[in-house]
Amino acid sequence: RVGADLAGRHVLVSAGGTREPLDPVRFLGNLSTGRQGYALASVAAARGARVTLVAAHTELPDPAGVDLVRVGTAAEMRAAVLAAAPDADAVVMAAAVADFRPADYVPVKIKKVDRADPEPVALVRNPDILAEVSRDRAAPGQVVVGFAAETDDVLANGRKKIARKGCDLLVVNQVGGGLAFGSPDNQAVVLADDGAETEVPYGPKAALADLLWDLVAERLARSRPL
Ligand code: C5P
């Protein structure tokens, strides 16, 4: 591969798992480690791109050579992504964004109540950042990529999801049984809006990142020539 084939490009990557607070010490979260998003950011930087990495919760060390923006909740991630998107040639949403958040934030630690039935937690829907970025296309010819972790009917659900979200590419992978979440390896199929499918063999998350940037670079050469 040509060393710096993403030189002159600005890419925006989201990573990690959002945390939606219930009170000052509790949150709704997920098992995302941030590894796939961090691999995407590091590989893009190594291939010459300017990288903005919007990171929700992860325990990974800060990657070198990227502009890192730390966020907590989905709402914070949305604000950071929408702020950076107008200047980005490509947006890759690898973060695990909570679909719902607690309807109410309790500003003091919620006390145990002395009764058999706990209070139900009311949830409200979070905005879908990927769908919004795909719809708005803040820069002409911008390439937008989503991820979809599925436990069943992986391809069928993926095809529905790429249509619903309106993104150009969707990386679908099967989760559960030790795959994807928490693992250094990944196995996936990249679906394209034109119906193309690219299988990614089981391997390191950096290899998936390289293949994905190949697909993005190919599209950018057509949609946003340098
Ligand atoms: O709908 P689902 O959560 O499976 O979609 C996953 C994809 O959508 C990921 O790319 C994720 O980053 C993005 N997403 C988002 N905003 C949400 C939920 C998911 O951008 N509220």
Side-chain angles (χ1 to χ4, degrees):
R1 172 172 300 110
V2 199
D5 64 337
L6 293 175
R9 299 297 191 186
H10 175 208
V11 302
L12 169 58
V13 176
S14 76
T18 65
R19 290 179 159 188
E20 308 296 324
L22 284 151
D23 73 11
V25 297
R26 303 186 180 95
F27 58 86
L28 299 181
N30 61 68
L31 290 174
S32 172
T33 60
R35 280 200 184 116
Q36 186 61 68
Y38 273 50
L40 281 156
S42 297
V43 167
R47 287 170 65 163
R50 177 159 77 84
V51 181
T52 301
L53 174 61
V54 176
H57 178 76
T58 170
E59 284 169 13
L60 297 173
D62 295 356
V66 314
D67 294 326
L68 181 63
V69 183
R70 287 210 171 267
V71 297
T73 64
E76 289 166 11
M77 174 161 283
R78 175 175 175 274
V81 167
L82 295 186
D87 186 56
D89 295 287
V91 181
V92 180
M93 288 288 304
V97 184
D99 293 313
F100 300 95
R101 68 179 180 276
D104 302 299
Y105 174 73
V106 183
V108 293
K109 189 180 169 196
I110 300 167
K111 307 291 186 297
K112 267 185 284 258
V113 279
D114 192 20
R115 57 184 214 184
D117 298 324
E119 294 271 358
V121 175
L123 301 178
V124 292
R125 192 173 266 288
N126 273 329
D128 190 320
I129 307 164
L130 175 60
E132 191 171 348
V133 167
S134 299
R135 190 189 61 228
D136 294 353
R137 303 288 166 156
Q142 184 177 68
V143 175
V144 181
V145 184
F147 273 72
E150 305 285 347
T151 56
D152 58 283
D153 286 335
V154 176
L155 286 181
N157 285 328
R159 286 195 196 93
K160 281 184 225 156
K161 197 163 283 185
I162 193 171
R164 197 169 66 236
K165 304 264 188 184
C167 53
D168 301 290
L169 299 172
L170 186 74
V171 184
V172 284
N173 48 38
Q174 178 134 27
V175 292
L179 281 172
F181 275 132
S183 162
D185 297 315
N186 212 343
Q187 179 174 23
V189 180
V190 184
L191 304 181
D193 57 348
D194 59 10
E197 283 180 17
T198 309
E199 291 222 24
V200 188
Y202 186 80
K205 288 179 173 174
L208 193 159
D210 255 323
L211 185 146
L212 195 60
W213 289 125
D214 290 346
L215 296 175
V216 169
E218 213 171 88
R219 285 185 168 243
L220 282 175
R222 282 181 271 131
S223 68
R224 267 173 88 80
L226 280 173

